[in-house]
Amino acid sequence: MKYALLDLPTRVDAAVANAGRAEAAGLDRYMVAQVERADPIAVLAVVADRVPRIELATGVIAIQSTLPQHLAQQARTVNQISGGRFTLGIGVCHQPIVTEVFGLEWSRPYSHMVQYLDALLPLLADQTVDTSGDLVSHRTEIEVPGPAPGVLLAAMGPRMLALAGARTTGTLLAWTGPRTIAEHVRPAIGDGLVSAAVWVCVTADPEEEARARLGEQLAGYRTLSSYQAMSERERVADMMDLLVIGSADEVRAELARYAEASADEIAVILQGTPAEREAGWAMIEQGLE
């Protein structure tokens, strides 16, 4: 089992500090999400230069937010800086974000991803592409020396999971519990790597109180239908039931369920008050198994 820290930094210096702490604690990977905070590619370029050993990844870049050429240039550049430690995590963004935030048309997400990969993967590997599709067309070359980065694809539905298994290293999951990994994700993706992001709060507060508090902070995720679908597969009453909350030992026991369900990597997202986040760090530094 591998473990990662999935970070949502607002400052680059804080990201460097967290990546260094994760490396010192023995975590395998440091990941940065694409949310309304510091840019993940820029952050990881600095981290790659300053933190020498830990693996790095985006978790994830929305394909609607950038062109394949630009993303390939960025990914190969970060991989060059890091000496081959970078993995590019990508995914189709959620419909409300695409239409209401980006102001773009929402159209055939699976086909969009297939055509995007048709353009991106040759640019990452051979740095040249000539592909034509009704959603994505690219005819270009780039020149960024160094090794090609790996790719992980955020996937939830059966076709997207099969695509991840067939054309990339594997999948990055969010709001997806152990039952769903065992019964839905693993059968669809085959031998591909399964990396599961898990929201964690190490706390002495009563579980119901902490869950309600965090549920208010993370309420926006309830509006996204793809996450709701994964909660239904998990057979939980509320998405927030997937938050892992409790003492360090209780959190470790719950994370073990993900390993038993065939997850290959668990990406911990530390939540809560500053004291609770520090308690989460202490748990990581003491060991997650």
Side-chain angles (χ1 to χ4, degrees):
M1 171 58 64
K2 293 187 174 182
Y3 292 95
L5 177 74
L6 179 52
D7 206 5
L8 296 83
T10 59
R11 297 182 55 86
V12 176
D13 55 355
V16 171
N18 285 345
R21 191 170 183 181
E23 180 179 90
L27 294 187
D28 300 284
R29 192 175 345 228
Y30 176 76
M31 308 168 72
V32 179
Q34 184 187 43
V35 290
E36 295 80 1
R37 297 189 181 184
D39 179 77
I41 294 289
V43 166
L44 289 171
V46 177
V47 170
D49 183 58
R50 298 187 186 175
V51 184
R53 294 182 301 278
I54 197 166
E55 298 289 317
L56 308 169
T58 53
V60 298
I61 301 293
I63 63 171
Q64 293 94 335
S65 70
T66 187
L67 296 172
Q69 176 184 336
H70 296 160
L71 190 55
Q73 289 172 287
Q74 291 173 315
R76 287 192 64 95
T77 299
V78 175
N79 210 37
Q80 180 190 105
I81 296 168
S82 69
R85 291 182 286 136
F86 177 67
T87 296
L88 177 64
I90 62 171
V92 173
C93 200
H94 303 277
Q95 182 176 358
I97 298 174
V98 171
T99 58
E100 298 171 22
V101 178
F102 296 166
L104 300 174
E105 180 182 356
W106 174 262
S107 178
R108 296 157 50 212
Y110 175 79
S111 296
H112 192 176
M113 179 57 76
V114 170
Q115 293 181 29
Y116 198 95
L117 291 174
D118 289 343
L120 176 69
L121 295 180
L123 285 168
L124 291 176
D126 301 321
Q127 303 196 75
T128 183
V129 68
D130 185 347
T131 185
S132 180
D134 63 330
L135 296 171
V136 179
S137 294
H138 251 45
R139 299 172 186 86
T140 188
E141 296 180 1
I142 61 176
E143 185 178 357
V144 185
V151 177
L152 289 171
L153 173 58
M156 296 184 187
R159 289 202 302 165
M160 201 72 83
L161 284 164
L163 181 66
R167 300 193 63 184
T168 73
T169 303
T171 189
L172 293 166
L173 304 172
W175 297 103
T176 304
R179 181 197 299 270
T180 303
I181 292 172
E183 297 179 358
H184 169 66
V185 174
R186 181 55 72 189
I189 200 173
D191 294 332
L193 182 141
V194 174
S195 178
V198 183
W199 300 79
V200 166
C201 179
V202 177
T203 182
D205 285 350
E207 180 182 346
E208 289 187 6
E209 178 184 315
R211 194 174 301 279
R213 169 165 46 90
L214 293 173
E216 291 181 5
Q217 298 172 15
L218 302 172
Y221 289 103
R222 287 191 176 101
T223 67
L224 302 175
S225 59
S226 55
Y227 291 150
Q228 291 173 355
M230 299 307 267
S231 299
E232 291 169 5
R233 287 185 181 276
E234 192 67 17
R235 301 197 276 281
V236 294
D238 186 327
M239 280 178 58
M240 297 306 147
D241 291 339
L242 295 172
L243 296 170
V244 176
I245 297 171
S247 68
D249 285 343
E250 289 169 335
V251 169
R252 289 188 185 100
E254 187 63 22
L255 294 181
R257 294 184 60 227
Y258 284 81
E260 292 164 2
S262 79
D264 302 294
E265 177 180 70
I266 297 171
V268 173
I269 311 172
L270 294 177
Q271 292 292 291
T273 65
E276 288 168 339
R277 290 173 189 248
E278 189 57 35
W281 272 113
M283 174 192 68
I284 289 171
E285 289 164 345
Q286 292 163 8
L288 290 173
E289 295 180 345

